[in-house]
Amino acid sequence: MKKVFFSVMNGLFLCFLVGCNEAPMAVAKIVNSNGEQIGTATLKQMDQGVEITVEAHGLPSGIHGFHIHEVGKCQEPDFQSAGGHFNPHGKKHGRNHPEGEHAGDLQNIVVDSSGEVKNTQVIKQVTLEKDEVHSLLKETGTALVIHESADDYRTDPAGNSGKRIACGVIEEK
């Protein structure tokens, strides 16, 4: 027991002296078309990619497309300022497309009958490490967008997922 305690204490002391390398993190405040904050997404660098957890309320129930977009701007009411999907390698849209998928193509999210969603997914094609081609923390920023309909995972450029109904700029935490 003493051995474990001293080992942990030595590790903490070493972190204090030289600093611990924490995994990069980011956050996005999700707003609706009226500019009201309706949720938050947290992003954390993992060994296998970036873990994205989104929690939001005030959304229409059902299945919705959820994507990373190429520009860190969320101007209401239509969020067109976020540009297209994050696609640094010039792929087609959708995991079911033979020439896909965009790095910003995420799994659909399901909003319950009370208008709430909590969803966590790990995205292998992106990173929070700066100065990487597929970094979400690039100079012009990136954004998370929730669409009005489900993504069909095939149709280019956005999976027939309809209008953009919520958006959040991804910012380093």
Side-chain angles (χ1 to χ4, degrees), residues 49-143:
V50 174
E51 179 184 82
I52 300 174
T53 299
V54 62
E55 293 185 58
H57 63 277
L59 292 164
S61 64
I63 303 172
H64 298 273
F66 183 46
H67 305 113
I68 302 166
H69 282 249
E70 65 186 345
V71 180
K73 288 185 183 177
C74 289
Q75 294 174 332
E76 306 91 17
D78 62 5
F79 307 118
Q80 293 300 312
S81 57
H85 290 184
F86 183 62
N87 188 18
H89 301 295
K91 303 273 187 162
K92 297 291 183 185
H93 173 79
R95 61 187 46 140
N96 295 335
H97 193 291
E99 297 176 53
E101 66 191 299
H102 296 152
D105 290 348
L106 307 178
Q107 295 172 11
N108 286 326
I109 57 173
V110 178
V111 177
D112 68 21
S113 60
S114 66
E116 295 183 3
V117 62
K118 181 172 183 179
N119 176 276
T120 299
Q121 46 189 292
V122 176
I123 316 311
K124 296 178 182 177
Q125 305 91 302
V126 299
T127 185
L128 295 177
E129 300 290 341
K130 291 183 180 176
D131 300 323
E132 297 282 334
V133 171
H134 54 289
S135 177
L136 300 180
L137 300 176
K138 63 188 186 102
E139 191 174 312
T140 57
T142 54

